[in-house]
Amino acid sequence: MQTDIAYRLILASASPARRALLTGAGIDAEVIVSGVDESVVDQEDAYTTSLALARMKARTVAASLPADPAALVLGCDSVLAFEDEVFGKPANAEEAVKRWMAMRGRSGVLHTGHHLTGLVSGLQAEAVGTTVVHFADVSDAEIEAYVASGEPLQVAGAFTLDGRGGAFVDRIEGDPGNVIGLSLPLLRNLLGEMGVPITALWRN
């Protein structure tokens, strides 16, 4: 593995939760929002959609940057699979309420696509993290209050694990970071595929 290069990680995502996960893990990522139109991706299934969106975000940002052999671009996207439906961010409050009415007391599968690309090397690695989410049997009043907070309108599946929505998730099966938006163990594996130890990204 290459350890003598001062690597820089560029996060192709506007998500503050993803950036916070990286910061907590000792990685000061630069943020460049891709601005891609997510509607152009055919939502065949949640797994495929999450990876396609992550790949598109990373490649779009990478194409806009000057050559730097030390730069790595990471794209991530989360999508919830619930009863054969694909749930990204809800379009509005009404849709968020409708989703929660259906999801409460039941389970869904949260897929987060990860795509890593080297700006100069051309090396790429990608994978999808999958976590089963068991939702609490919340009341109508709790759903209305949660949606009124605005939080579920900003996130895939209309819920978060690291915010107010965490109280409405009974349990999960898998990596909690993946539900928040970025799996650190999966990122470590992808970096390893490219010959980069995750410790090379740690701040001094």
Side-chain angles (χ1 to χ4, degrees), residues 24-47:
I27 301 171
D28 292 328
E30 303 168 46
V31 173
I32 300 179
V33 182
S34 66
V36 298
D37 180 4
E38 298 185 12
S39 67
V40 302
V41 174
D42 181 22
Q43 297 191 345
E44 179 181 348
D45 62 76
Y47 183 101

Side-chain angles (χ1 to χ4, degrees), residues 162-196:
D162 59 333
R164 300 183 189 194
F168 299 152
V169 175
D170 277 342
R171 62 189 175 90
I172 66 169
E173 298 171 41
D175 177 15
N178 190 65
V179 181
I180 296 170
L182 190 158
S183 170
L184 291 167
L186 195 154
L187 173 61
R188 173 182 169 272
N189 291 338
L190 295 181
L191 287 164
E193 289 181 29
M194 298 176 66
V196 180

Side-chain angles (χ1 to χ4, degrees), residues 9 11 18-27 29 182 184 187 203:
L9 183 68
L11 180 62
R18 291 191 179 108
R19 188 177 190 181
L21 281 168
L22 290 168
T23 300
I27 301 171
L182 190 158
L184 291 167
L187 173 61
R203 73 177 72 91

Side-chain angles (χ1 to χ4, degrees), residues 43-51 77-82 85-87 109-113 128:
Q43 297 191 345
E44 179 181 348
D45 62 76
Y47 183 101
T48 304
T49 299
S50 70
L51 189 55
D77 198 90
S78 299
V79 181
L80 180 71
F82 180 77
E85 290 191 71
V86 177
F87 286 169
V109 181
L110 195 286
H111 298 286
T112 297
V128 176

Side-chain angles (χ1 to χ4, degrees), residues 52-67:
L53 287 169
R55 186 186 304 126
M56 186 166 64
K57 288 179 179 180
R59 290 180 178 175
T60 298
V61 169
S64 72
L65 297 173

